[in-house]
């Protein structure tokens, strides 16, 4: 019996639909509408880099141009419909998923205790009770409120003092929760003062098998199709072996099927999908042709290998690459037009000079940069400038680079 099969265009369309990028970007981008966007994505990664806007704000803006950065904190500092924790990185997550994070808390506790002790070279566990007592007595804290006078660790990026390490461990293992940020510095409070007691009660905690099943189902629904490894990587809580076992059992129950998708280079790839994958893809209208600037951390592109297979888009973030060795730039934004990645752009919001400054743009190989395409770019950059709080767009001399050129 032939496997369900999607050609590359249909696979891209389905994938973008599941990532909120195949429909016109309309909606208020706040309150219940914003929560629906995040729920559909599963989570939104938080990152501090702010060349134009922070990554989480760019992710949400790409789907809701009416969104503004002040709208997100209201969902986790105000009505607590989101919580902040870890997937593959720090993220904001719908509160209704919280009960499934008990497995993550337990696994992080086991994994991090010995690892962080080795990295830091200090016994941060001695600070658990002092830190918890301080928070109980004085309320939420940031890392600057504890550990005064303590000696920092000696592990490069991880040069935290013992109380800072304790704060992060107690958060990752579930004893503390994030209640907001001062600038970009996290504020921690006791979890029982932040999370509804119904989500903390023993009777509300799923067993590990239930969480594995939920995580794999939820990942598949948000990806459209995936390998077991991709299901495991989505939340980064389930192991590859657990995802593989879940796929086998779900396939035996008829909940999923093996399918084949065509990659950008025409090669086939075996994946798992819902039985109606062909019908689901056929029902989708083409994505709107407007251009969108995507964050380098956009969930549609976070898996760089999948982005290359599906879109033919080879992307590497070059923040940590020495300037002289960069192919493109410090923080280059992918450009999505309809269902294609058509280029990448190096730009920065220069707020002192009130402008969005474009240094360079590289079309992808095979993309003709026509006058209508340039007009779509300029329309999007005008919107992005307004979002970033600047009033004009400027282009540096020599900003247009030939496809495949570097630097």
């Amino acid at each position: 019996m032939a496997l369900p099969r999607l050609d590359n265009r249909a696979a891209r369309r389905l994938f973008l639909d599941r990532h909120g990028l195949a429909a016109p970007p309309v909606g208020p981008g706040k309150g219940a509408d914003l929560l629906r966007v995040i729920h559909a994505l599963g989570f939104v990664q938080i990152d501090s880099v702010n060349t134009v806007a922070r990554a989480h704000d760019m992710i949400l803006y790409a789907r809701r141009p009416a969104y503004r950065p002040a709208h997100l904190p209201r969902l986790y500092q105000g009505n607590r419909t989101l919580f902040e924790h870890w997937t593959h990185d720090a993220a904001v997550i719908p509160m209704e998923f919280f009960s499934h994070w008990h497995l993550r808390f337990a696994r992080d506790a086991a994994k991090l205790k010995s690892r962080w002790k080795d990295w830091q070279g200090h016994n941060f566990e001695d600070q658990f009770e002092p830190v918890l007592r301080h928070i109980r007595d004085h309320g939420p804290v940031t890392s600057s409120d504890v550990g005064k006078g303590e000696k920092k660790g000696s592990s490069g990026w991880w040069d935290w003092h013992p109380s800072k390490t304790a704060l992060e461990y107690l958060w990752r293992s579930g004893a503390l929760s994030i209640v907001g940020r001062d600038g970009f510095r996290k504020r921690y409070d006791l979890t029982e003062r932040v999370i509804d007691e119904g989500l903390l009660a023993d009777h509300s905690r799923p067993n590990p098998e239930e969480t594995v099943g939920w995580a794999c189902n939820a990942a598949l629904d948000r990806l459209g199709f995936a390998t077991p490894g991709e299901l495991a990587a989505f939340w980064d809580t389930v192991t590859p072996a657990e995802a593989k076992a879940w796929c086998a059992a779900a396939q035996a129950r008829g909940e999923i099927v093996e399918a084949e998708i065509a990659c950008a280079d025409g090669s086939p790839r075996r994946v798992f999908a819902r039985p109606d994958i062909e019908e689901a893809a056929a029902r989708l209208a083409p994505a709107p042709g407007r251009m969108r600037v995507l964050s380098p951390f956009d969930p549609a592109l976070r898996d760089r290998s999948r982005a290359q297979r599906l879109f033919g888009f080879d992307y590497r973030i070059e923040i940590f690459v020495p300037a002289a060795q960069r192919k493109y730039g410090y923080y280059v934004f992918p450009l999505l037009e309809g269902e294609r990645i058509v280029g990448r752009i190096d730009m920065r919001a220069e707020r002192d000079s009130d402008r969005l400054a474009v240094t360079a743009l590289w079309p992808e190989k095979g993309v003709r940069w026509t006058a209508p395409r340039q007009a779509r770019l300029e329309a999007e950059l005008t919107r992005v400038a307004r979002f970033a709080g600047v009033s004009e767009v400027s282009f540096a001399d020599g900003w247009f680079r030939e496809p495949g050129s570097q630097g």
Side-chain angles (χ1 to χ4, degrees), residues 247-287:
C247 286
Q251 184 179 18
R253 295 191 297 266
E255 297 169 0
I256 63 174
V257 296
E258 274 197 289
E260 187 177 278
I261 63 163
C263 297
D265 63 2
S267 63
R269 182 169 174 80
R270 287 284 185 95
V271 293
F272 286 101
R274 299 300 181 191
D276 67 343
I277 182 175
E278 291 176 309
E279 294 84 351
R283 288 194 296 267
L284 297 174

Side-chain angles (χ1 to χ4, degrees), residues 1-2 7 16-17 45 49 65 95 97 100 141 147-148 150 172 184 208 211 213 262 285 330 366 387 396 403 406:
M1 183 176 177
D7 64 25
L16 290 172
D17 174 74
Q45 181 177 340
V49 178
M95 186 65 76
F97 300 165
H100 289 293
V141 301
K148 291 180 173 60
E150 292 180 354
R172 293 283 296 271
F184 209 71
T211 290
Y330 174 78
F387 174 69
Q406 299 176 8

Side-chain angles (χ1 to χ4, degrees), residues 12 36 49 123 129 341 392:
R12 282 187 279 120
R36 282 192 292 271
V49 178
N123 192 3
E129 184 49 40
I341 306 294
E392 65 177 60

Side-chain angles (χ1 to χ4, degrees), residues 170-391:
L170 291 167
W171 169 52
R172 293 283 296 271
S173 59
L176 298 179
S177 291
I178 305 300
V179 291
R181 288 176 178 261
D182 296 340
F184 209 71
R185 181 176 289 163
K186 295 189 287 285
R187 282 189 290 115
Y188 308 82
D189 200 357
L190 300 176
T191 290
E192 62 262 31
R193 297 203 295 223
V194 179
I195 305 299
D196 184 272
E197 63 181 357
L199 295 172
L200 300 176
D202 288 343
H203 65 77
S204 71
R205 300 188 182 192
N207 63 43
E209 293 75 17
E210 290 170 327
T211 290
V212 168
W214 171 85
C216 291
N217 270 306
L220 184 59
D221 287 340
R222 286 163 175 80
L223 293 171
F225 47 84
T227 64
E230 290 168 341
L231 294 180
F234 186 85
W235 306 103
D236 197 29
T237 297
V238 173
T239 68
E242 288 170 332
K244 186 176 181 179
W246 177 85
C247 286
Q251 184 179 18
R253 295 191 297 266
E255 297 169 0
I256 63 174
V257 296
E258 274 197 289
E260 187 177 278
I261 63 163
C263 297
D265 63 2
S267 63
R269 182 169 174 80
R270 287 284 185 95
V271 293
F272 286 101
R274 299 300 181 191
D276 67 343
I277 182 175
E278 291 176 309
E279 294 84 351
R283 288 194 296 267
L284 297 174
R290 73 180 280 166
M291 197 171 292
R292 309 189 210 209
V293 174
L294 299 184
S295 164
F297 298 107
D298 194 281
L301 302 175
R302 179 184 64 80
D303 185 329
R304 309 300 191 204
S305 296
R306 182 170 55 213
Q308 185 163 13
R309 286 193 301 269
L310 195 56
F311 296 97
F313 183 62
D314 183 10
Y315 183 83
R316 178 188 183 192
I317 195 162
E318 297 184 288
I319 290 175
F320 302 114
V321 177
Q325 298 174 27
R326 290 175 187 149
K327 291 178 63 177
Y328 296 103
Y330 174 78
Y331 198 82
V332 173
F333 297 88
L335 296 173
L336 174 70
E337 183 184 54
E339 296 158 10
R340 297 177 68 191
I341 306 294
V342 296
R344 61 192 84 197
I345 188 168
D346 185 7
M347 62 183 180
R348 176 180 294 271
E350 296 180 348
R351 293 178 176 87
D352 290 345
S353 54
D354 195 28
R355 64 178 183 167
L356 182 66
V358 176
T359 301
L361 179 143
W362 297 263
E364 287 298 286
K365 186 178 180 180
V367 173
R368 293 178 57 244
W369 206 262
T370 61
R373 181 162 279 141
Q374 177 66 17
R376 288 191 286 274
L377 171 69
E378 292 178 8
E380 175 66 358
L381 294 184
T382 297
R383 292 187 288 264
V384 170
R386 188 163 55 244
F387 174 69
V390 295
S391 59

